[in-house]
């Protein structure tokens, strides 16, 4: 059996725990030994290894609230960690274990956690790629990463959780909390306190998890004292394989794109100079190996022209033999292509880069070709003024006092059917009807967060569309998603009137 040191370091700030994890990876005096460290956190926002902080978190809120922001060496989505959660980091030497893909490591890790929780009487199960569930509710999460000859597992289980604070810290509600539908966050999350009637003793929880890890990975576990306090007085060492700067993964004033995959969201930011890529950052809430894959791909694309970039990306990735969890090389190629397509969208539609970044092109074809076939316009009710008697009704009198009226006018001038979407079920019903009518394409408006969260509804319709992002107050920023779902959201979002007007120039009259 493989010797394994087990430490419990108590409750500490996020930066201190991040230093412990960095040291766990950087210092390995005994290669033929595993290390398991249990951690508890003061309120902390934990970014996945490849995420853009400003897209995953409400950074200003965290700063003003004294919430540490740290970056994990493992991938996946952002987490809110607090004293009501027990987390761990387990480092294993790869030698001596059968060759595994990252997905296989994740499954072994997740099944071990579920087995440990079942010993406490909790009906837990692992759901790929990284969730621990109980009766369909999320109870915990697991991650894995390969760093050289080491595999690192990290995970967290909810003993209790401050749901209200969680929703304030995380910018985008993660799709993984529920496959479809909208329920309250408390209904989507399960805690050990709820499932067992009271919080279990932490010693018991640690013991059961340690025992499950021991059996799964053939470990001979030996408890030891907590980590050396000197770790907390020094900055986290450079591991050479992940970036500890939580703000480094972004490109200012660049072309942006995202791609929803089966295991997370991929994001790209690209800056162009003299017709070539000057900077490229790729990331998202995904897990992959090697750990520097996305960073090196971004560097490899610098100097490429838009025409060369797709082939260069595919060539670079093929040479690296990437281990991707729930997404593919083609997803990355299409992500780069989508970001660079902003150049053509800006040029043909007369938009600047910022305006082009607000377009979401759904389905096959470029934006101009989809607009040429569009016969229907969908408008969100939340963009109508709160005082408008038509806010929660389909229709618009075109009184001239808001951008929605102007959008209606532009659509009706072209003979388009214009529909105000009043709640989520109405959107699903409308898209289903358009599909049955074989509508060739449509234009619409929604916030990017809504599109990310509900992309499955657009995908099920199978219709190409050009969607324009809305600005101002939205239900995700204000944590009022459930009200918006039911059609009772009261704050006002806004259409970008200039973008709508320029996009609609390329929609010909229906029947022409």
């Amino acid at each position: 059996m493989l010797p394994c040191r087990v430490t419990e370091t108590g409750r500490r700030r996020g930066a201190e725990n991040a230093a412990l994890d960095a040291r766990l990876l950087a210092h390995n005096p005994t290669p033929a030994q595993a290390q398991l460290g249990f951690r508890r956190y003061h309120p902390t926002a934990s970014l996945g290894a490849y995420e853009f902080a400003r897209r995953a978190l409400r950074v200003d809120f965290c700063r003003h609230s004294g919430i540490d922001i740290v970056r994990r060496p493992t991938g996946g989505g952002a987490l809110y960690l607090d004293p009501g959660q027990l987390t761990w980091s387990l480092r294993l030497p790869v030698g001596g274990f059968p060759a595994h893909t990252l997905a296989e490591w994740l499954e072994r890790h997740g099944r071990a956690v579920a087995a440990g929780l079942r010993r406490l009487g909790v009906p837990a199960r692992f759901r790929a790629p990284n969730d621990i569930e109980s009766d369909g509710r999320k109870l915990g999460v697991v991650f894995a990463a390969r760093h050289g000859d080491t595999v690192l597992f990290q995970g967290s289980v909810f003993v209790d959780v401050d749901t209200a604070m969680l929703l304030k810290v995380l910018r985008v509600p993660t799709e993984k909390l529920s496959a479809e539908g909208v329920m309250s966050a408390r209904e989507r999350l399960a805690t050990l306190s709820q499932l067992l009637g009271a919080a279990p003793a932490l010693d018991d929880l640690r013991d059961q998890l340690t025992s499950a890890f021991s059996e799964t990975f053939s470990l001979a576990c030996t408890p030891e004292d907590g980590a050396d306090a000197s770790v907390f007085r020094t900055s986290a060492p450079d591991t050479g394989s992940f970036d500890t700067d939580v703000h480094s993964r972004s490109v200012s004033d660049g072309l942006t794109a995202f791609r929803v995959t089966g295991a997370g969201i991929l994001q790209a930011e690209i800056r162009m100079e003299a017709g070539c890529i000057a900077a490229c950052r790729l990331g998202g809430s995904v897990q992959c190996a090697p750990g520097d894959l996305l960073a090196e791909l971004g560097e490899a694309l610098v100097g490429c022209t838009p025409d060369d970039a797709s082939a260069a990306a595919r060539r670079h990735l093929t040479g690296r033999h990437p281990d991707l969890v729930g997404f593919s090389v083609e997803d990355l190629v299409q992500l780069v292509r989508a970001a660079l397509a902003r150049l053509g969208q800006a040029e043909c539609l007369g938009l600047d880069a910022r305006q082009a970044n607000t377009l979401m092109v759904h389905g096959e074809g470029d934006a101009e070709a989809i607009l040429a076939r569009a016969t229907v316009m969908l408008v969100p009710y939340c963009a109508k003024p709160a005082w408008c008697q038509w806010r929660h009704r389909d229709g618009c009198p075109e009184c001239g006092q808001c951008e929605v009226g102007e959008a209606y006018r532009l659509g009706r001038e072209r003979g388009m059917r214009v529909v105000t979407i009043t709640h989520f079920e109405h959107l699903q019903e409308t898209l289903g009807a358009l599909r049955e009518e074989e509508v060739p394409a449509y234009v619409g408006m929604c916030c990017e967060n809504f599109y990310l969260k509900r992309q499955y509804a657009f995908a099920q319709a199978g219709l190409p569309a050009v969607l324009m992002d809305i600005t101002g107050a939205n239900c995700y920023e204000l944590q009022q998603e459930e009200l918006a779902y039911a059609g009772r959201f009261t704050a006002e979002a806004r259409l970008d009137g200039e973008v709508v007007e320029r996009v609609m120039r390329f929609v010909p009259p229906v029947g022409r």
Side-chain angles (χ1 to χ4, degrees):
M1 299 184 75
L2 182 69
C4 179
R5 295 174 57 235
V6 182
T7 58
E8 195 285 315
T9 51
R11 184 188 304 180
R12 298 187 183 276
R13 291 180 54 237
E16 295 172 337
N17 281 330
L20 283 170
D21 287 331
R23 184 179 183 181
L24 191 67
L25 282 173
H27 301 285
N28 187 17
T30 309
Q33 177 176 276
Q35 294 188 51
L36 172 60
F38 287 100
R39 323 255 194 251
R40 295 184 69 203
Y41 282 75
H42 291 296
T44 297
S46 173
L47 282 165
Y50 315 114
E51 288 190 296
F52 302 157
R54 60 187 175 82
R55 291 183 175 272
L57 304 173
R58 294 182 174 89
V59 174
D60 289 341
F61 174 83
C62 292
R63 288 172 175 166
H64 295 155
S65 303
I67 296 171
D68 279 2
I69 300 176
V70 300
R71 187 181 294 284
R72 300 188 305 275
T74 51
L79 302 176
Y80 171 67
L81 302 174
D82 64 11
Q85 299 170 56
L86 179 66
T87 73
W88 59 88
S89 295
L90 171 61
R91 189 195 70 191
L92 294 177
V94 174
F97 288 92
H100 285 313
T101 65
L102 206 55
E104 290 169 339
W105 281 117
L106 277 165
E107 182 169 0
R108 291 193 73 180
H109 183 200
R111 289 185 181 279
V113 174
L117 295 176
R118 286 196 296 270
R119 296 175 184 181
L120 291 171
V122 176
R125 62 182 289 271
F126 169 69
R127 182 170 72 87
N130 53 265
D131 282 352
I132 306 299
E133 290 186 343
S134 181
D135 295 328
R137 299 166 67 196
K138 187 168 182 173
L139 179 60
V141 66
V142 294
F143 305 112
R146 282 285 299 270
H147 292 274
D149 295 330
T150 294
V151 60
L152 178 70
F153 298 116
Q154 293 186 298
S156 175
V157 64
F158 300 134
V159 180
D160 284 302
V161 63
D162 185 343
T163 307
M165 185 60 71
L166 180 151
L167 293 176
K168 293 176 181 177
V169 168
L170 303 183
R171 180 171 293 277
V172 181
T174 172
E175 184 69 27
K176 298 175 185 176
L177 291 178
S178 179
E180 60 184 14
V182 174
M183 299 178 289
S184 71
R186 289 186 177 89
E187 290 175 332
R188 288 178 251 168
L189 300 178
T191 68
L192 294 180
S193 295
Q194 294 169 342
L195 297 172
L196 298 174
L202 289 181
D203 286 345
D204 290 342
L205 177 56
R206 284 191 294 265
D207 287 347
Q208 296 302 338
L209 291 173
T210 299
S211 178
F213 291 144
S214 176
E215 293 180 6
T216 298
F217 300 109
S218 299
L219 306 178
C221 295
T222 303
E224 296 191 8
D225 292 335
D228 186 344
S230 65
V231 175
F232 307 129
R233 295 193 295 270
T234 60
S235 59
D238 180 8
T239 68
S241 56
F242 77 100
D243 192 344
T244 57
D245 182 355
V246 298
H247 302 296
S248 65
R249 299 186 184 279
S250 63
V251 174
S252 299
D253 302 322
L255 307 168
T256 66
F258 59 84
R259 186 171 178 86
V260 179
T261 76
I265 298 167
L266 288 168
Q267 294 170 326
E269 296 183 346
I270 296 176
R271 186 175 73 250
M272 303 294 295
E273 290 181 4
C276 295
I277 296 175
C280 176
R281 296 291 182 270
L282 307 172
S285 56
V286 295
Q287 300 184 79
C288 61
D292 58 2
L293 177 75
L294 299 181
E296 286 201 354
L297 175 58
E299 293 171 2
L301 294 177
V302 172
C304 290
T305 67
D307 291 338
D308 299 336
S310 293
R314 191 175 283 110
R315 185 168 56 249
H316 177 83
L317 290 167
T318 300
R320 292 300 306 273
H321 305 290
D323 185 356
L324 312 176
V325 179
F327 66 105
S328 67
V329 166
E330 193 59 28
D331 282 320
L332 288 169
V333 172
Q334 292 301 324
L335 173 71
V336 172
R337 183 175 294 170
L340 293 172
R342 301 295 193 191
L343 294 170
Q345 293 164 13
E347 182 177 358
C348 77
L349 302 179
L351 306 173
D352 59 30
R354 180 198 65 79
Q355 293 171 326
N357 284 338
T358 68
L359 300 184
M360 293 164 277
V361 180
H362 181 84
E364 298 298 325
D366 59 36
E368 189 173 2
I370 293 173
L371 292 172
R373 307 197 308 272
T375 60
V376 176
M377 175 187 287
L378 305 183
V379 180
Y381 79 90
C382 59
K384 293 180 177 179
W387 49 260
C388 178
Q389 63 177 334
W390 290 86
R391 179 176 170 90
H392 300 283
R393 298 162 57 190
D394 185 11
C396 175
E398 299 179 36
C399 66
Q401 298 187 57
C402 76
E403 292 87 350
V404 172
E406 179 63 10
Y408 259 82
R409 182 188 67 79
L410 291 169
R412 286 170 170 165
E413 280 183 352
R414 290 159 173 78
M416 303 178 78
R417 186 194 328 169
V418 186
V419 180
T420 296
I421 300 299
T422 56
H423 51 80
F424 181 65
E425 282 92 349
H426 185 210
L427 173 64
Q428 291 180 303
E429 293 167 0
T430 301
L431 291 176
L434 298 183
R435 181 182 65 247
E436 291 181 3
E437 296 169 17
E438 298 184 349
V439 167
Y442 64 96
V443 296
M445 303 90 179
C446 69
C447 72
E448 180 181 297
N449 287 338
F450 179 87
Y451 182 75
L452 289 172
K453 175 77 173 173
R454 305 293 166 205
Q455 200 204 32
Y456 63 88
F458 296 95
Q460 287 171 353
L463 300 175
V466 173
L467 304 172
M468 291 163 271
D469 197 3
I470 58 178
T471 62
N474 69 67
C475 61
Y476 291 92
E477 291 292 335
L478 300 176
Q479 296 91 53
Q480 296 181 21
E481 178 191 355
E482 293 173 52
L483 293 176
Y485 178 91
R488 300 195 306 274
F489 181 59
T490 57
E492 294 179 26
R494 294 192 63 185
L495 306 184
D496 187 322
E498 184 178 0
V499 172
V500 173
E501 192 274 332
R502 293 191 179 189
V503 167
M504 290 299 294
R505 292 178 188 173
F506 293 84
V507 178
V510 173
R512 180 176 176 178

